Amino acid sequence: MKYWRKPLDQDHLKTQHYQVDLITDRCKGCGLCIEFCPRHVLAESAEFNRKGYHPIYAVNDDCLNCGLCELMCPEFAIRIVQREGAPARE
Amino acid sequence: MTQEYSAGRYYPGELLREDRMPHIWCPGCGMGSILHGFLNGLHQSGLPLDKVAIVSGIGCAGRVAGYVKLDSFHTTHGRAIPFATGLKLANPELKVIVFSGDGDLVSIGGNHFIHAARRNMDLTVILVNNFTYGMTGGQFGPTTPLDARTATSRYGSYEPTFNVPNLAEASGAVYIARWTALHLRQMEQSFTEALHKKGFSLVEVISPCPTLYGRMNRQPRGLDQMKYYQQNSIIQHGADTRTVGIELNGKITVGKFIDIERPAYTDIKTRVYEKAFAPKPAAPAKTTAEASSK
């Protein structure tokens, strides 16, 4: 990210990182999470799942755990989990 | 049951019968999101789960009763509110929630709906409005907007439409809110408020139906309908319910319309019975002074 000046606490503050945990075979490819993710993390993959839909996948590591995709997913297929090695949330 | 948390947030996996997933709702349908919002709202309300019962009727929304790990019953078409009324009268400690669709609650069950609202039965009604009869093939119903094309109105629907919040207000409901399937956090809060409200509380949730309604009306995917809600919803709390009718491709007024207090059915019944069956005051006994003076 570009800043107009260097933040004073940049040395000791770290952004926590999360990743999307998807139950691939439940995804029906409706695309709601792709459209409404505020950080544009998700995209439709070219592969098929067991039901013949194109499931989603994460294209980058920008997830900040807002939880919108988890709440919006009509299939209960998305959970957000903390990425391995990232500091725990207080 | 243990509570599940997902990266610091509550996740309603404990309330969901995950063995029955994937559910039958179409890709792009809003029912799953609404169910998730409802379960979060139920968790936030802090009600004891063994005192909560869900009743649903027939239709796509009626399938909710089978997907939750709560006491639930799937009734016959249109009779969700009568069943819930009986449940509430038999066991007044229960918190009875009616989860059903527009075809079930305001079409075949319309009479039960207005009379439950008139009596102010202590029910929480969640009405999922997708403007059509989804499960039977997309026929037009009492909530289909004028000029909307459906399977049985190929040239546009010609029947005037029910304005559900106005119908409920005129019948006497004490809490009325309307959201679309996109307003997830607001919906959650409304569910919590409705669950704590004593009396007939109604939350109408407008849901996309891409397979049968959207495809006929130039919104072929659930995503298109969600985008339409995003661009055309106006949040207006306390709006006059006469003005919140829905038109085809028009603006949708959402928000909390009514939040009033009115004695609930069980309260009035208790008051009347207490008055009728109260022990009569005993005749005043003669005092010893009166007895000795004679």
Side-chain angles (χ1 to χ4, degrees):
Chain A
M1 195 180 243
K2 263 179 94 173
Y3 299 104
W4 61 273
R5 70 162 172 80
K6 189 189 166 208
L8 299 174
D9 49 5
Q10 199 184 29
D11 304 329
H12 57 275
L13 267 193
K14 276 190 181 146
T15 316
Q16 283 152 7
H17 292 286
Y18 299 87
Q19 66 187 22
V20 174
D21 180 18
L22 175 79
I23 304 173
T24 316
D25 284 341
R26 271 194 205 167
C27 180
K28 286 181 186 167
C30 63
L32 297 184
C33 52
I34 300 171
E35 175 70 25
F36 290 105
C37 175
R39 305 274 294 178
H40 308 290
V41 173
L42 304 164
E44 194 178 83
S45 73
E47 294 158 18
F48 291 97
N49 65 7
R50 215 173 64 190
K51 299 268 177 191
Y53 297 106
H54 294 291
I56 56 152
Y57 74 107
V59 283
N60 56 34
D61 296 335
D62 289 349
C63 178
L64 287 176
N65 191 19
C66 74
L68 189 64
C69 57
E70 188 184 284
L71 186 56
M72 185 169 258
C73 178
E75 310 300 323
F76 299 92
I78 298 178
R79 295 284 295 265
I80 297 172
V81 293
Q82 195 141 27
R83 207 187 301 157
E84 299 271 324
R89 193 188 204 192
E90 283 169 21
Chain B
M1 279 188 282
T2 53
Q3 287 182 348
E4 287 185 54
Y5 287 90
S6 150
R9 247 190 339 272
Y10 173 73
Y11 186 83
E14 50 162 353
L15 296 173
L16 197 68
R17 291 182 62 176
E18 301 223 24
D19 52 321
R20 303 207 53 185
M21 298 282 143
H23 51 62
I24 61 149
W25 296 313
C26 308
C29 175
M31 274 308 307
S33 318
I34 297 166
L35 179 57
H36 197 142
F38 166 70
L39 295 177
N40 279 356
L42 185 62
H43 174 75
Q44 279 169 25
S45 72
L47 294 170
L49 294 180
D50 53 350
K51 296 285 177 204
V52 171
I54 294 192
V55 180
S56 60
I58 298 298
C60 295
R63 306 291 296 211
V64 165
Y67 291 129
V68 289
K69 271 188 203 160
L70 294 166
D71 292 340
S72 58
F73 198 82
H74 195 178
T75 63
T76 46
H77 195 11
R79 311 295 176 240
I81 287 180
F83 185 90
T85 304
L87 201 58
K88 182 74 191 175
L89 292 182
N91 189 353
E93 285 180 5
L94 283 182
K95 184 79 220 172
V96 186
I97 300 153
V98 176
F99 208 122
S100 208
D102 57 314
D104 188 74
L105 283 178
V106 295
S107 175
I108 185 168
N111 205 17
H112 304 304
F113 180 83
I114 57 175
H115 284 285
R118 170 180 66 83
R119 295 181 187 125
N120 205 10
M121 280 306 305
D122 194 3
L123 305 174
T124 302
V125 178
I126 296 163
L127 191 153
V128 181
N129 188 353
N130 59 1
F131 306 131
T132 189
Y133 287 105
M135 192 164 270
T136 52
Q139 292 85 356
F140 69 94
T143 49
T144 309
L146 271 179
D147 297 325
R149 287 178 67 228
T150 64
T152 47
S153 60
R154 305 300 300 184
Y155 309 106
S157 171
Y158 40 79
E159 288 190 4
T161 313
F162 258 148
N163 176 352
V164 178
N166 193 17
L167 177 72
E169 190 199 358
S171 310
V174 291
Y175 182 95
I176 302 169
R178 177 201 269 163
W179 297 106
T180 72
L182 189 72
H183 297 90
L184 292 155
R185 303 275 180 214
Q186 293 97 320
M187 199 201 303
E188 241 175 72
Q189 200 189 346
S190 268
F191 287 145
T192 311
E193 284 176 16
L195 285 169
H196 282 302
K197 189 85 186 171
K198 191 155 176 70
F200 190 89
S201 44
L202 169 78
V203 183
E204 184 192 6
V205 188
I206 293 168
S207 165
C209 179
T211 314
L212 292 159
Y213 179 79
R215 209 177 47 172
M216 296 270 194
N217 293 289
R218 293 164 194 264
Q219 291 164 344
R221 295 176 301 164
L223 190 56
D224 300 323
Q225 275 178 298
M226 284 287 200
K227 278 184 192 161
Y228 163 67
Y229 299 153
Q230 190 182 26
Q231 287 156 9
N232 292 285
S233 296
I234 303 167
I235 298 178
Q236 205 180 344
H237 294 295
D240 187 349
T241 54
R242 282 171 298 183
T243 62
V244 301
I246 290 175
E247 290 166 6
L248 183 66
N249 298 329
K251 299 281 179 195
I252 301 173
T253 313
V254 295
K256 182 168 84 173
F257 301 140
I258 303 285
D259 192 354
I260 54 170
E261 296 295 332
R262 205 160 73 86
Y265 179 84
T266 41
D267 294 346
I268 304 171
K269 197 181 86 173
T270 312
R271 199 185 65 209
V272 170
Y273 278 0
E274 273 176 357
K275 201 171 145 197
F277 296 107
K280 291 196 175 110
K286 283 183 179 173
T287 59
T288 47
E290 282 171 347
S292 61
S293 66
K294 279 183 183 172

